[in-house]
Amino acid sequence: MVAKKMNDSYDGENEKDTSYRQQRDRNNMSVRKSRAKSKLRMQKTAERITRLRGENESLSKEMTQLSKELTILKHLVKVFIETK
């Protein structure tokens, strides 16, 4: 009778171990999935930052060029008005 109780106890422990192992496996899979998703999000953010920096540089150059053109045109208008 004592041997049977030990055997029943052992089966219960084995079920707990199996259940715990399954829980850990599910959790490990979730962690891997979460980390992969986070890594992908970070990569996309880094790519967006690079793209936006390039766009910002291009727009800054365009703004500088347009400012120069505006200065020239203002000067031409002033000269035109003065010569009238």
Side-chain angles (χ1 to χ4, degrees), residues 16-67:
K16 287 180 185 178
D17 289 344
T18 302
S19 175
Y20 176 77
R21 185 73 259 154
Q22 290 172 343
Q23 183 179 1
R24 293 301 313 143
D25 290 344
R26 284 192 305 268
N27 181 263
N28 290 341
M29 187 70 91
S30 292
V31 167
R32 278 188 223 109
K33 185 178 176 181
S34 176
R35 288 179 181 161
K37 189 175 178 181
S38 179
K39 184 177 179 180
L40 180 62
R41 192 176 330 118
M42 290 296 290
Q43 288 172 342
K44 286 183 177 183
T45 300
E47 290 170 3
R48 184 168 182 245
I49 288 170
T50 300
R51 181 179 48 81
L52 289 173
R53 282 184 176 158
E55 186 179 334
N56 190 38
E57 185 177 336
S58 175
L59 290 171
S60 291
K61 288 177 181 178
E62 183 180 357
M63 187 177 75
T64 300
Q65 181 62 34
L66 290 172
S67 292

